Amino acid sequence: MKVVIVGNGPGGVELARRLAGEFDVTLVEKESIPHYSKPMLSHYIAGFIPEEKLFPYSRQWYEEKGINLLLGTEAKLIDRLRRVLVTSDGEVSYDALVIATGARAREPSIPGREHVLTLRTLNDAKLIKGRLEEEGEITIPGGGFIALELAGDLAMAGHRVRLVHRGRTILGLDEELSGIIMERLEGAGVEFHLDTNALGADEEGLKTDKGYIRGRLKVCAFGIVPNKELAMRSGIHAGRGILIDDRFRTSARDVYAIGDCAEHGGVVGGTAKVAVGQAKVLSNLLRGVEDRYDFSFRSAFFKFADFSVAVIGKTKGSGSWLSEDTKVFHEEGRPVGAVVLGNAKKAFRLEKAIKEGLPID
């Protein structure tokens, strides 16, 4: 069985790794380099790890696994009738095709956006790293995990960091939890400008509704845009992302989608953890092994500076502190979510318990 995977990100490479040896696997990747860890890019920019540490798999690894890796190859169109992927380097036939094209950084829609960089690829990271070495300081519009990871790492590395966020809280959390996380990041040197909207940018700084924030290097980190264009060109249904059912099937027969490019129930995954989890389940389904992915349950694990934060399940409404590092959220007396501060091992245990409906003590 020929499986063609478009995209060599966390979902694509995990799926290829799991199917290699049992299937004829081809990976089609637009970038000209093997898989690298995008969650580690902020560590690279900060100088905590060298560039080579971003690459967990060598080209030889793909060869040894029997994965046909087509780098620098752009997927142009899925010819659904002929069951062929048309690429910039020719055609590749498939029995099953998986779109794992990920997402790109959301660009700011403000005047002067050409003065604002975004972070998504290694090339983006190299550009930001070079500019940071010149400027020594950075302004980051955004309040999600990418913005906070970048801010925390760069502050820890000794740079002046300003984080500008339109909301009053971060990560969609309540004021109490946001305050604790921000206090830790402020201790590392991050300067917060909350409830502040970016209105425009120029070479020297950022214009906001709270005044002008001076700083030549500005990196926008407030969201992603799913890469759904291949699906749309091929007549496959898409909303914000490529629409999939609970078995990752798109509207086209034998064409699937996973990771940041896929949308299920109005939700796009948004993290490498989700993409890897979906790849694991899809690999079983393609083998004929019954499995399911719980789209209703979401969790994410972050590290801001040297402070780990886990957001597990549903974290809206009023929560109660289980201990000094764990706030638990309930629905109808049942634990449905938790936020764990600074204790990754405990977070993994709690995630398992909440997901499986086990009691928490």
Side-chain angles (χ1 to χ4, degrees), residues 118-349:
T118 57
L119 173 60
R120 194 67 183 177
T121 68
L122 179 55
N123 283 338
D124 295 337
K126 287 180 176 180
L127 177 59
I128 293 165
K129 186 176 174 67
R131 287 285 307 277
L132 186 64
E133 286 166 2
E134 291 174 13
E135 305 293 341
E137 60 179 16
I138 187 171
T139 301
I140 305 170
F145 67 89
I146 296 173
L148 293 169
E149 284 180 331
L150 183 62
D153 279 344
L154 299 188
M156 249 179 74
H159 301 287
R160 184 183 179 190
V161 179
R162 294 168 291 261
L163 191 139
V164 180
H165 181 43
R166 63 186 179 184
R168 296 175 60 86
T169 64
I170 56 174
L171 293 173
L173 299 175
D174 61 34
E175 289 194 13
E176 183 181 33
L177 286 164
S178 292
I180 294 169
I181 296 167
M182 286 190 292
E183 188 177 333
R184 288 296 294 263
L185 283 166
E186 284 170 339
V190 178
E191 176 187 317
F192 283 92
H193 297 259
L194 295 184
D195 204 17
T196 302
N197 291 287
L199 303 178
D202 58 27
E203 193 173 342
E204 298 300 323
L206 191 69
K207 302 168 189 174
T208 79
D209 57 359
K210 298 287 178 67
Y212 188 75
I213 299 173
R214 190 165 292 279
R216 291 170 60 86
L217 175 58
K218 298 165 286 292
V219 178
C220 175
F222 52 50
I224 59 171
V225 179
N227 293 324
K228 60 184 179 181
E229 290 75 15
L230 172 63
M232 293 180 69
R233 285 195 300 269
S234 307
I236 295 170
H237 298 167
R240 183 183 167 212
I242 303 165
L243 299 177
I244 58 170
D245 67 9
D246 58 4
R247 297 173 73 86
F248 309 104
R249 294 175 294 202
T250 69
S251 61
R253 186 177 178 182
D254 297 321
V255 177
Y256 306 81
I258 58 172
D260 290 355
C261 68
E263 176 186 346
H264 181 277
V267 176
V268 171
T271 67
K273 187 175 187 294
V274 168
V276 170
Q278 292 183 352
K280 179 182 177 182
V281 174
L282 180 55
S283 70
N284 285 334
L285 295 175
L286 290 173
R287 284 195 200 95
V289 177
E290 194 52 43
D291 201 352
R292 65 181 293 273
Y293 183 81
D294 187 353
F295 288 93
S296 66
F297 186 88
R298 305 181 72 198
S299 62
F301 295 72
F302 315 112
K303 195 164 189 181
F304 308 135
D306 59 350
F307 184 52
S308 67
V309 177
V311 181
I312 301 162
K314 298 177 182 177
T315 56
K316 300 298 181 188
S318 61
S320 56
W321 288 93
L322 182 69
S323 60
E324 62 180 13
D325 60 7
T326 304
K327 192 171 189 178
V328 178
F329 296 79
H330 294 81
E331 280 182 5
E332 299 175 355
R334 182 175 61 91
V336 294
V339 176
V340 183
L341 307 173
N343 192 333
K345 285 185 179 178
K346 186 176 185 179
F348 282 113
R349 289 198 305 270

Side-chain angles (χ1 to χ4, degrees), residues 82-137:
R82 294 169 53 226
R83 298 166 72 84
V84 160
L85 175 69
V86 181
T87 79
S88 54
D89 289 336
E91 296 184 345
V92 184
S93 63
Y94 67 85
D95 294 310
L97 185 141
V98 182
I99 306 173
T101 45
R104 57 191 178 276
R106 183 177 295 282
E107 303 245 349
S109 55
I110 55 173
R113 58 182 171 270
E114 67 272 16
H115 299 292
V116 183
L117 302 178
T118 57
L119 173 60
R120 194 67 183 177
T121 68
L122 179 55
N123 283 338
D124 295 337
K126 287 180 176 180
L127 177 59
I128 293 165
K129 186 176 174 67
R131 287 285 307 277
L132 186 64
E133 286 166 2
E134 291 174 13
E135 305 293 341
E137 60 179 16

Side-chain angles (χ1 to χ4, degrees), residues 58-71:
S58 65
R59 290 182 191 237
Q60 186 182 351
W61 176 85
Y62 291 89
E63 291 173 14
E64 289 172 351
K65 287 284 183 182
I67 300 167
N68 180 26
L69 179 62
L70 304 180
L71 293 176

